[in-house]
Amino acid sequence: MGTARNFIHISNTQTMNAHIGKRIALISVHGDPAIEIGKEEAGGQNVYVREVGKALAELGWQVDMFSRRVSSEQETIVQHSPLCRTIRLTAGPVEFVPRDQGFKYLPDFVQQLLKFQKETHIKYPVVHTNYWLSSWVGMQLKALQGSKQVHTYHSLGAVKYKSVDTIPLIATKRLAVEKQVLETADRIVATSPQEQQHMRSLVSPKGYINVIPCGTDIQQFGSIDREAARAELGIAQDAKVVLYVGRFDPRKGIETLVRAVNQSQLRNSGKLQLIIGGGSTPGASDGRERDRIAGIVQELGMSEFTILPGRLGQEILPTYYAAADVCVIPSHYEPFGLVAIEAMSSGTPVIASDVGGLQFTVVTEKTGLLVPPKDVEAFSVAIDRILMNPTWRDELGQAARKHTASKFSWGGVADCLDELYTQILDISVPEPVLVSK
Ligand code: UDP
């Protein structure tokens, strides 16, 4: 596999740089930052790690992002920018493993990471872990070598298990690990005040939490206007376009959206278009939800004006957001919800469930509308309010763009994280000490 050689080759440059930069490991065992986003459990966490990594590197951090290798075709190391790379460790089978089944491979992951450090003469003074699986890895590194640990949950078991019918076997372990990391990490990053509240009320009153939101690329999302975007996608300029972007997972509430559009007053106008973007090819693990949604679309006789274009790549995503009149996020719960700020950055108003981080990012009646989750009627009314009033739609869209640019850029997020790491590492320039005789 040539893994060790790769590690050693890169280590020469890294060792040279070690003295001039600050070094960090971002650990995301199941959320590979270099993988295609939008399918099979790859979503916001992958984007977060990749963008945080790149933005920290811009600030001079040497960033190594560790993930588990899931295919023999994947490269061991992906260089994103001179100071930022993804490193894939072989721990467990080299194939996709659903996250609920990933815990047993973590001890091996820790061993591989330690081996990598040894071979490259690197030791990470700070590790920023993502999702509960990685938090366990971070706690071992903290115990074994004193690395400082910062943790972002991305999803809380305590919240998730309240809304699912079947609790997985791993639940007890997950809840215990999530409590332990909150109480022992040097700092927890909550991406919204709502997430912070859940940690406090459902996980533990102990531990240190900073609220630092997620970000978005405000240059990329907002780079094209509606007219040009529609021309590119072959959508009529007078169409009324409702867009969903995200993974296919029952908790995303796509069924609510489909049923809401079915009740729209514009249902039979010949102008309505529903685009449900995301998901893998048929046969992949998220295919069951995709097939279920496609089945409902057909059953309701909506096939003529509904398209499921599959996973949308980074290059085309801004065009879809810009082409839409409204982007709908009907999730049952979202700790943050990157899609909301991507759509708003693109100048498209958002209708979202009034839950979690969406309450933090979407300002109801200003940048879009918040409605009760799973409420088909409320979503339908909200969709019609925006579709039937293009002037208001434009006002909401402009305010949304402004709101996102001022609050949710990756650069701003990296500035906050930089300050946080610097604080816990205590590597700020020391104050001169005045000695009196
Ligand atoms: N995404 C994508 N292509 C798709 C579907 C989704 O690139 O076809 C991206 C989307 O742009 C966003 C992320 O996946 O950056 C989803 O993040 P979010 O926080 O909204 O949801 P999560 O996946 O974390 O539940």
Side-chain angles (χ1 to χ4, degrees), residues 27 32 45 63 69 77 86 108 117 123 127 133 151 161 168 227 232 260 304 309 353 358 364 382 386 400 417:
I27 302 179
D32 186 328
Q45 179 182 331
V63 184
R69 197 158 193 235
I77 295 186
T86 292
D108 200 15
Q117 287 192 137
K123 200 168 113 189
V127 298
L133 293 170
H151 181 65
Y161 298 144
E227 204 180 316
E232 194 179 325
E304 227 171 74
S353 296
L358 297 168
T364 197
I386 294 183
L417 289 171

Side-chain angles (χ1 to χ4, degrees), residues 284-300:
S285 66
D286 54 355
R288 208 176 330 146
E289 177 64 358
R290 190 186 190 280
D291 292 348
R292 196 180 72 84
I293 297 297
I296 298 172
V297 167
Q298 204 173 17
E299 187 189 303
L300 296 175

Side-chain angles (χ1 to χ4, degrees), residues 133-418:
L133 293 170
S134 309
S135 81
W136 188 87
V137 172
M139 288 191 279
Q140 312 314 305
L141 295 173
K142 190 172 164 67
L144 290 168
Q145 61 182 27
S147 298
K148 303 276 184 186
Q149 183 179 15
V150 176
H151 181 65
T152 305
Y153 283 96
H154 296 280
S155 153
L156 280 172
V159 175
K160 182 178 170 180
Y161 298 144
K162 284 211 288 188
S163 65
V164 294
D165 302 330
T166 28
I167 308 281
L169 285 174
I170 197 72
T172 316
K173 181 72 168 169
R174 174 175 177 176
L175 294 173
V177 170
E178 287 186 342
K179 181 166 188 288
Q180 192 185 353
V181 70
L182 175 51
E183 295 180 348
T184 61
D186 294 274
R187 209 61 62 90
I188 299 292
V189 172
T191 53
S192 65
Q194 288 74 10
E195 196 190 12
Q196 180 185 28
Q197 244 172 29
H198 278 132
M199 289 173 197
R200 281 290 174 246
S201 59
L202 301 172
V203 185
S204 175
K206 295 190 200 138
Y208 305 100
I209 305 174
N210 279 29
V211 178
I212 302 177
C214 294
T216 193
D217 186 334
I218 55 174
Q219 258 81 46
Q220 188 195 8
F221 295 108
S223 55
I224 182 168
D225 66 23
R226 186 178 298 116
E227 204 180 316
R230 288 190 174 193
E232 194 179 325
L233 297 175
I235 296 174
Q237 293 298 338
D238 65 347
K240 300 285 185 192
V241 181
V242 179
L243 174 70
Y244 168 86
V245 173
R247 293 177 296 113
F248 275 77
D249 183 315
R251 279 173 301 112
K252 289 286 179 183
I254 308 174
E255 179 175 354
T256 307
L257 166 64
V258 172
R259 295 195 182 279
V261 168
N262 186 47
Q263 284 188 18
S264 163
Q265 292 182 42
L266 295 164
R267 163 79 166 76
N268 300 317
S269 64
K271 304 245 183 276
L272 195 59
Q273 186 152 355
L274 172 61
I275 303 176
I276 307 176
S280 307
T281 42
S285 66
D286 54 355
R288 208 176 330 146
E289 177 64 358
R290 190 186 190 280
D291 292 348
R292 196 180 72 84
I293 297 297
I296 298 172
V297 167
Q298 204 173 17
E299 187 189 303
L300 296 175
M302 297 169 63
S303 303
E304 227 171 74
F305 60 90
T306 303
I307 55 166
L308 286 84
R311 191 187 84 82
L312 303 173
Q314 290 300 303
E315 59 308 326
I316 199 70
L317 207 45
T319 310
Y320 273 90
Y321 282 126
D325 289 276
V326 65
C327 178
V328 181
I329 308 174
S331 309
H332 302 169
Y333 180 74
E334 283 293 343
F336 187 83
L338 278 177
V339 166
I341 55 175
E342 291 169 1
M344 292 195 296
S345 178
S346 308
T348 300
V350 168
I351 296 174
S353 296
D354 193 3
V355 292
L358 297 168
Q359 297 173 325
F360 174 53
T361 51
V362 179
V363 187
T364 197
E365 305 286 340
K366 292 256 166 6
T367 71
L369 293 168
L370 289 169
V371 295
K374 304 183 190 170
D375 189 334
V376 171
E377 178 67 24
F379 271 96
S380 190
V381 169
I383 290 169
D384 281 349
R385 272 186 72 195
I386 294 183
L387 290 188
M388 287 169 30
N389 190 344
T391 312
W392 189 48
R393 172 205 64 195
D394 288 346
E395 281 167 22
L396 291 170
Q398 281 157 19
R401 164 91 190 146
K402 240 166 114 180
H403 176 65
T404 314
S406 69
K407 286 207 151 132
F408 303 111
S409 73
W410 283 122
V413 171
D415 283 341
C416 296
L417 289 171
D418 173 61

Side-chain angles (χ1 to χ4, degrees), residues 87-120:
I87 298 160
R88 295 179 173 127
L89 302 177
T90 301
V94 182
E95 64 189 23
F96 173 77
V97 173
R99 48 189 142 188
D100 281 347
Q101 289 159 36
F103 187 75
K104 53 183 171 294
Y105 306 118
L106 297 183
D108 200 15
F109 193 92
V110 173
Q111 287 314 313
Q112 293 305 318
L113 212 158
L114 292 172
K115 183 164 165 250
F116 173 84
Q117 287 192 137
K118 203 167 162 203
E119 285 172 355
T120 54

